């Protein structure tokens, strides 16, 4: 009988939570068949079997935290035709992947510890708030990405499946019950009933986020500055880009201009794009731009490597790809490592401004407020203009008021006149 221990599926991860077992004792498994889903501090990962054979023991239950190297599953390996046990196969679908096919490889950078995620939401921006509608929190069906894929592959509507998960999510068992024609299990008591209290176990991304923001806020003295910006020219500029053939099939939003502006400004004021080391600090003359992304599992900050090298089309594609992978639960550990500065879009939440907490290991984060039409004085006359508020939070050990002001001024200048991007 062979014992498979929990592997390190990321970059130096030490533990993971069992999200779902996809096999049980007595099942027969094939090489690279997915046997479990685990939730790390960085992503939801499917674990494939390294052997073909019969499952003899599961060493943990759903919800348990397992350390890397701990016993995970026992399998009685099937003998081959010559009587030998089948060898352990390379695991498929675990661990970091190379750059996305079709994207040019970025040049290497000095290694440093991977930053932990901050709790700042970051979907993509739109100039006007959407018409009032019922919140997604009440309309969206909860399910993990592998469960969504299983339902989609079999043409099932998740909304029509009775969820039995602890927090009202549709589980793989729920989907499989429908496929098997079985009567669905009773739905678990739902959280948040009026007049009651509930206790939630802190795991996965939420656990990592809690630790990260606590460490960041208590170790780095934050300073926050604000600047109102007339983004009217940005809105006009984006309308032009949307009609251009070069930007066909790619989402164009104010976030694109902000990302380009921050990438340029970070090179002009490297103090905002640096790392505190204790008795030294490192100025990064390249930009790995973090995008705080809201996902079903929590808030993570994947980053665009060498964002300062990208043209506008490449930046738009990178934003679209990175945020979509985050929402699909497919973010790779390499995409979460080595960020140098972060942007977070709080405008999509209807917020004008906020004071974001730094991503650990970084000295700057920019919050992008809602873009709204407001009366604005132009050449002594009141005009309706598209106005937004930028908030910058910085590590005051490195960034003083002068650097913070200069950095925001450079970002604001591009939002006020995006033609500067090609000057």
């Amino acid at each position: 009988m062979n014992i498979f221990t929990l592997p390190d599926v990321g970059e130096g991860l030490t533990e993971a939570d069992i999200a779902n077992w996809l096999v049980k004792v007595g099942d027969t498994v094939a090489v690279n068949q997915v046997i479990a889903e685990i939730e790390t501090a960085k992503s939801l990962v499917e674990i494939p079997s390294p052997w073909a054979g019969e499952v003899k023991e599961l060493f943990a239950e759903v919800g348990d935290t397992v350390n890397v190297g701990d016993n995970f599953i026992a399998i009685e390996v099937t003998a081959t035709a010559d009587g030998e046990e089948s060898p352990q196969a390379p695991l498929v679908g675990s661990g970091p992947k190379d750059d996305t096919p079709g994207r040019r490889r970025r040049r290497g950078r000095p290694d440093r510890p991977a930053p932990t995620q901050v709790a700042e939401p970051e979907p993509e921006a739109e100039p006007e708030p959407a018409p009032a509608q019922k919140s997604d929190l009440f309309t969206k069906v909860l399910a993990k990405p592998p469960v969504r894929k299983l339902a989609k592959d079999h043409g099932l509507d998740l909304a029509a499946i009775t969820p039995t998960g602890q927090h009202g999510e549709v589980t793989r068992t729920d989907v499989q019950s429908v496929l098997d024609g079985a009567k669905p299990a009773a739905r678990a008591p739902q959280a948040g009933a009026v007049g009651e209290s509930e206790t939630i176990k802190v795991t996965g991304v939420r656990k990592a986020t809690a630790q990260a923001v606590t460490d960041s806020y208590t170790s780095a003295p934050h300073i926050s500055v604000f600047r109102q910006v007339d983004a009217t020219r940005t809105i006009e500029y984006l309308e032009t880009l949307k009609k251009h053939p070069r930007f066909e099939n790619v989402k164009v939003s104010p976030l694109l201009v902000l990302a380009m502006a921050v990438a340029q400004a970070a090179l002009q004021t490297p103090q905002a794009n640096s790392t505190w080391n204790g008795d030294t600090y490192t100025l990064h003359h390249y930009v790995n731009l973090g995008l705080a992304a809201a996902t079903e599992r929590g808030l993570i900050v994947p980053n665009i490597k060498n964002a300062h090298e990208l043209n506008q089309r490449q930046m738009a594609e990178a934003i679209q790809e990175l945020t979509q992978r985050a929402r699909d639960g497919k973010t790779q550990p390499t995409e979460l490592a080595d960020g140098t500065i972060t942007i977070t879009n709080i405008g999509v939440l209807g917020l004008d401004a906020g004071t974001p907490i730094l991503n650990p290991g970084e000295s700057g984060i920019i919050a992008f407020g809602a873009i709204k039409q407001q009366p604005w004085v132009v050449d002594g006359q009141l005009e309706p203009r598209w106005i937004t508020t930028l908030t910058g939070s910085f590590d005051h050990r490195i960034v003083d008021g002068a650097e913070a002001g200069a950095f925001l001024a450079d970002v604001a200048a591009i939002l006020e006149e995006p033609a500067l991007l090609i000057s």
Side-chain angles (χ1 to χ4, degrees):
M1 185 170 65
N2 289 15
I3 304 297
F4 178 48
T5 59
L6 182 67
D8 177 2
V9 295
E11 297 181 339
L13 297 174
T14 60
E15 65 179 22
D17 299 323
I18 307 297
N20 198 14
W21 280 110
L22 306 181
V23 296
K24 61 183 181 299
V25 174
D27 284 354
T28 299
V29 296
V31 172
N32 279 325
Q33 175 183 334
V34 177
I35 55 177
E37 297 166 348
I38 63 171
E39 186 178 25
T40 73
K42 296 184 175 183
S43 58
L44 187 70
V45 180
E46 294 182 336
I47 299 296
S49 173
W51 304 293
E54 181 182 342
V55 176
K56 290 297 186 181
E57 185 175 357
L58 307 179
F59 290 98
E61 297 181 356
V62 172
D64 288 351
T65 299
V66 181
N67 294 321
V68 170
D70 284 355
N71 289 349
F72 190 67
I73 189 172
I75 297 176
E76 187 72 49
V77 177
T78 303
T80 61
D82 58 6
E84 298 294 328
E85 287 189 350
S86 59
Q88 180 171 345
L91 296 185
V92 173
S94 63
K97 298 180 180 178
D98 292 334
D99 290 346
T100 304
R103 296 290 300 281
R104 61 195 178 94
R105 183 178 296 276
R106 309 296 181 201
R107 65 173 181 265
R109 296 296 178 186
D111 292 333
R112 66 176 178 84
T116 313
Q117 297 76 27
V118 297
E120 293 297 328
E122 205 297 302
E124 295 187 12
E126 294 297 339
E128 291 187 278
Q133 58 183 2
K134 196 172 183 181
S135 168
D136 282 349
L137 291 175
F138 298 96
T139 59
K140 190 170 185 179
V141 178
L142 298 179
K144 293 177 179 177
V147 177
R148 292 183 180 279
K149 183 177 186 304
L150 178 63
K152 182 179 179 181
D153 289 346
H154 290 84
L156 298 179
D157 180 5
L158 282 173
I161 299 176
T162 302
T164 63
Q166 181 181 359
H167 304 295
E169 72 273 17
V170 176
T171 67
R172 181 180 288 268
T173 301
D174 298 333
V175 176
Q176 194 61 52
S177 293
V178 174
L179 294 175
D180 295 341
K183 183 178 179 180
R187 182 168 179 167
Q190 294 305 292
V194 175
E196 298 181 358
S197 299
E198 57 177 324
T199 300
I200 307 297
K201 183 178 180 181
V202 181
T203 60
V205 171
R206 176 54 55 192
K207 182 178 180 180
T209 296
Q211 187 63 53
V213 295
T214 300
D215 291 346
S216 177
Y217 200 72
T218 55
S219 64
H222 286 53
I223 178 176
S224 295
V225 294
F226 303 81
R227 182 175 178 125
Q228 280 195 307
V229 179
D230 180 356
T232 303
R233 290 285 294 122
T234 284
I235 300 302
E236 296 170 347
Y237 181 70
L238 292 171
E239 289 303 313
T240 301
L241 291 187
K242 289 176 183 178
K243 298 173 184 177
H244 198 286
R246 186 181 179 192
F247 287 85
E248 188 175 0
N249 300 322
V250 64
K251 183 173 176 115
V252 174
S253 76
L255 191 61
L256 167 61
V257 180
L258 178 70
M260 297 293 295
V262 169
Q264 287 194 17
L267 297 181
Q268 298 300 316
T269 308
Q271 291 89 344
N273 188 55
S274 60
T275 303
W276 181 262
N277 305 316
D279 55 357
T280 66
Y281 62 91
T282 303
L283 301 177
H284 304 297
H285 299 291
Y286 60 93
V287 181
N288 290 345
L289 183 64
L291 304 174
T295 74
E296 290 184 357
R297 298 173 53 251
L299 297 150
I300 62 175
V301 188
N303 63 78
I304 300 171
K305 299 295 191 288
N306 296 313
H308 63 288
E309 296 180 347
L310 303 184
N311 61 36
Q312 294 175 67
R313 167 76 193 204
Q314 291 169 331
M315 183 71 84
E317 290 176 335
I319 292 172
Q320 184 170 300
E321 293 169 5
L322 209 65
T323 54
Q324 189 59 54
R325 280 199 297 277
R327 291 167 189 153
D328 290 343
K330 297 179 180 178
T331 299
Q332 295 301 309
T334 51
E335 294 174 322
L336 295 162
D338 301 324
T340 62
I341 190 169
T342 294
I343 58 178
T344 176
N345 180 10
I346 61 175
V348 294
L349 304 176
L351 301 176
D352 297 323
T355 53
I357 295 176
L358 293 166
N359 201 16
E362 300 175 13
S363 63
I365 181 171
I366 306 302
F368 193 29
I371 301 178
K372 300 178 180 178
Q373 272 202 320
Q374 298 180 26
W376 197 256
V377 177
V378 180
D379 296 329
Q381 302 294 320
L382 274 179
E383 294 184 12
R385 307 288 285 183
W386 291 103
I387 307 301
T388 188
T389 300
L390 298 178
T391 305
S393 288
F394 302 97
D395 186 336
H396 209 352
R397 295 172 297 184
I398 304 173
V399 182
D400 293 328
E403 289 87 8
F407 180 84
L408 275 194
D410 287 341
V411 175
I414 292 176
L415 288 172
E416 291 169 347
E417 183 46 78
L420 292 174
L421 290 172
I422 56 176
S423 63

